[in-house]
Amino acid sequence: MRGPSLRRVSSSLALPRRRRPDAAALAETAAGTLALAGLLTFAAGIALASAERPSFLSPLTRHASTGWLAGPLSGLWPGLTADSATLRWEVTVALLGMVACWALTIACARRMGLAAVLATAIVADVVLLLAPPFSLTDTFNYLHYGRMAPLYGLNPYVHLPLEAASDPAYRLSTWHHLRSPYGPLFTLATEALAPLGLPGAYWALKVAVGLGAASVAGLVALLARRLGRDPATAVALVALNPLVLVYGVQGLHNDVFVLALLLGGVLLALQRRERSAGGVWAVAVGVKLSAGLALPILLAGAAARRGRAAVGVAIGGAAILLAVVVFFGGHLPNDAVQARLVAGLSPANLLGVAIGHGGLDASLRRALEVVLLLGTAGLCAWTWRTRRWASAAAWAAVLLIATLGWVMPWYVLWVLPFAALSASAVPRGAAVVLTVALLAMWAPSAVPALHHLGWHPTHTRTGHLNSVFLHQQLR
């Protein structure tokens, strides 16, 4: 019998040829790389502009004694325009550019891989956290409420911030006549920062927000892999969203903590640790009450053993109520007053203008509350039957944003993780549309452009009353 030929032996030992990537794959890789680079470039530009000098981007830096607030990026862009109108349009264009890069990244994320997407998100978070808080002053509202009890013996759910007007955080905050609407666990956490002094607490909060954002991204990746979704695409949708990056992370908002807890509970539930999952979900509600909207949906769909998860929620809820009694005398956050605040371009207010109410008045607010309640109940029932908790939680968050009077751009984070984990592409499409809509409402040039066109949606009797109520809390 003849042995194998030398040619056959050598061919069997040869290494397989590497397949040359086709033109489409190369184009997709190039597009994804450009999109990630574009996101970082625009994010760095906004961070440098915010830190350069006092402007609408970070108005708090106008205080001469707060050099610690501007951060290490201060003074690195001396050629930045000093014209406010020009700066508004330039930042608006930068945000639009970020949205375009974000959409392209989502399309190319599978090709780019999870490591590249996660690294871009982390670098963007770090750059933006080195800049002063973007646009709004919630950072110092958080810190001022947290300093009231340990430094002045004032209960933030009973006393007004005005009663601690001597505190250095007071002049950097805005809600001077609003009792705290923030959850008791979050308030206790900010109270723990009081001994650090205001600059130390400010930078500690920055670190915490950065870790919270990284936790959300990591949990989305883990859950996506577990559920059979592409983790790179899921993380790109959530962690590279421009509104989350600029308004949420740079703005230092506490929503990243809430979403990290909700997603952490989902991971525990999928690991069949339902009681622990329920406890973590209860903690999320203790940080921010709006998390309570997702709670029944997650109980109905994400937990295999719903009874054990409900027990965990009950135990966690009881512990939180005990903390409220011990630390806050049984007083709860002031959500009732905050629910009456109205943003002029919120969907609910625009609906009120469109139907002849002049904006969001009391009767329309009650009707929308009923819509939210019935819609959430319907989504819970659908989830109980289908177990499609991710889609239901995403739609519940969309419904909440559509019915709220006080809508902020970073609220899109309530939708994004659940849309990213959904088996259906429809919630992801809705999340992209919602991002564009919220940017249209909150882009720096949006309101001036509308006024230039002669449209003033708040120049009605209802709008005037809402404005008066808002400024009563700020004065």
Side-chain angles (χ1 to χ4, degrees):
M1 184 175 179
R2 295 178 61 186
S5 68
L6 182 61
R7 181 177 295 177
R8 287 182 180 178
V9 172
S10 61
S11 64
S12 67
L13 294 176
L15 293 173
R17 288 186 177 181
R18 295 179 63 184
R19 294 183 60 187
R20 296 178 62 184
D22 57 24
L26 287 173
E28 188 175 358
T29 301
T33 302
L34 287 173
L36 292 176
L39 269 167
L40 287 178
T41 301
F42 285 125
I46 290 174
L48 290 170
S50 301
E52 175 57 30
R53 66 175 71 96
S55 69
F56 67 89
L57 295 175
S58 192
L60 298 180
T61 55
R62 68 183 184 276
H63 296 282
S65 61
T66 54
W68 48 267
L69 197 155
L73 303 182
S74 177
L76 296 183
W77 194 351
L80 179 71
T81 179
D83 181 72
S84 179
T86 301
L87 184 60
R88 286 183 183 276
W89 278 109
E90 289 179 348
V91 174
T92 298
V93 169
L95 288 167
L96 290 170
M98 289 185 76
V99 170
C101 290
W102 171 62
L104 185 56
T105 299
I106 294 169
C108 302
R110 188 185 294 270
R111 173 71 58 182
M112 301 304 297
L114 178 60
V117 172
L118 269 176
T120 302
I122 291 171
V123 172
D125 287 340
V126 170
V127 169
L128 290 166
L129 285 168
L130 291 176
F134 188 81
S135 186
L136 302 177
T137 58
D138 282 2
T139 303
F140 293 98
N141 291 321
Y142 297 158
L143 296 177
H144 188 57
Y145 286 126
R147 293 164 66 85
M148 288 175 65
L151 300 184
Y152 304 97
L154 300 173
N155 186 336
Y157 297 148
V158 176
H159 299 94
L160 297 175
L162 183 67
E163 297 177 60
S166 61
D167 190 88
Y170 177 81
R171 65 194 180 111
L172 301 174
S173 63
T174 49
W175 298 118
H176 296 160
H177 285 76
L178 178 70
R179 290 177 286 109
S180 175
Y182 303 116
L185 297 186
F186 179 72
T187 301
L188 288 173
T190 54
E191 288 181 1
L193 300 178
L196 301 177
L198 188 59
Y202 165 72
W203 284 98
L205 184 60
K206 278 180 174 282
V207 172
V209 169
L211 293 174
S215 298
V216 170
L219 287 165
V220 167
L222 288 172
L223 288 167
R225 198 179 298 278
R226 191 178 187 96
L227 295 170
R229 320 283 183 256
D230 177 57
T233 303
V235 171
L237 182 74
V238 179
L240 293 179
N241 180 282
L243 301 185
V244 172
L245 287 172
V246 175
Y247 288 91
V249 174
Q250 188 186 345
L252 295 182
H253 293 287
N254 62 8
D255 301 78
V256 292
F257 307 131
V258 177
L259 269 299
L261 289 164
L262 290 176
L263 295 172
V266 169
L267 183 60
L268 289 169
L270 295 180
Q271 294 171 343
R272 299 187 67 83
R273 298 163 62 186
E274 289 89 352
R275 188 172 296 174
S276 297
V280 172
W281 288 333
V283 171
V285 178
V287 171
K288 194 164 187 173
L289 296 185
S290 57
L293 184 73
L295 180 58
I297 292 173
L298 297 179
L299 274 174
R305 295 173 290 185
R306 297 173 176 126
R308 292 176 63 86
V311 169
V313 171
I315 294 172
I320 292 169
L321 288 176
L322 179 61
V324 169
V325 171
V326 171
F327 294 103
F328 302 110
H331 297 280
L332 292 171
N334 184 27
D335 270 7
V337 171
Q338 191 183 46
R340 293 176 56 193
L341 299 173
V342 178
L345 296 180
S346 66
N349 192 63
L350 294 179
L351 174 64
V353 173
I355 64 176
H357 287 230
L360 182 61
D361 59 7
S363 62
L364 180 57
R365 182 181 292 108
R366 286 191 295 270
L368 291 177
E369 288 170 353
V370 172
V371 169
L372 178 62
L373 180 63
L374 294 178
T376 304
L379 287 168
C380 287
W382 181 68
T383 308
W384 188 279
R385 182 172 56 86
T386 65
R387 295 280 187 177
R388 297 179 64 180
W389 54 269
S391 294
W395 288 121
V398 170
L399 184 61
L400 176 61
I401 292 170
T403 55
L404 275 179
W406 191 248
V407 174
M408 298 290 113
W410 61 90
Y411 287 4
V412 72
L413 183 59
W414 302 350
V415 180
L416 290 168
F418 300 113
L421 298 173
S422 172
S424 170
V426 178
R428 289 189 285 280
V432 173
V433 172
L434 180 62
T435 296
V436 174
L438 289 173
L439 178 57
M441 297 174 199
W442 281 97
S445 61
V447 170
L450 290 176
H451 290 175
H452 180 73
L453 294 172
W455 193 49
H456 303 269
T458 59
H459 286 192
T460 64
R461 183 176 182 277
T462 300
H464 174 71
L465 292 174
N466 288 334
S467 179
V468 168
F469 180 75
L470 169 65
H471 286 90
Q472 284 176 346
Q473 315 309 313
L474 298 175
R475 69 182 192 275

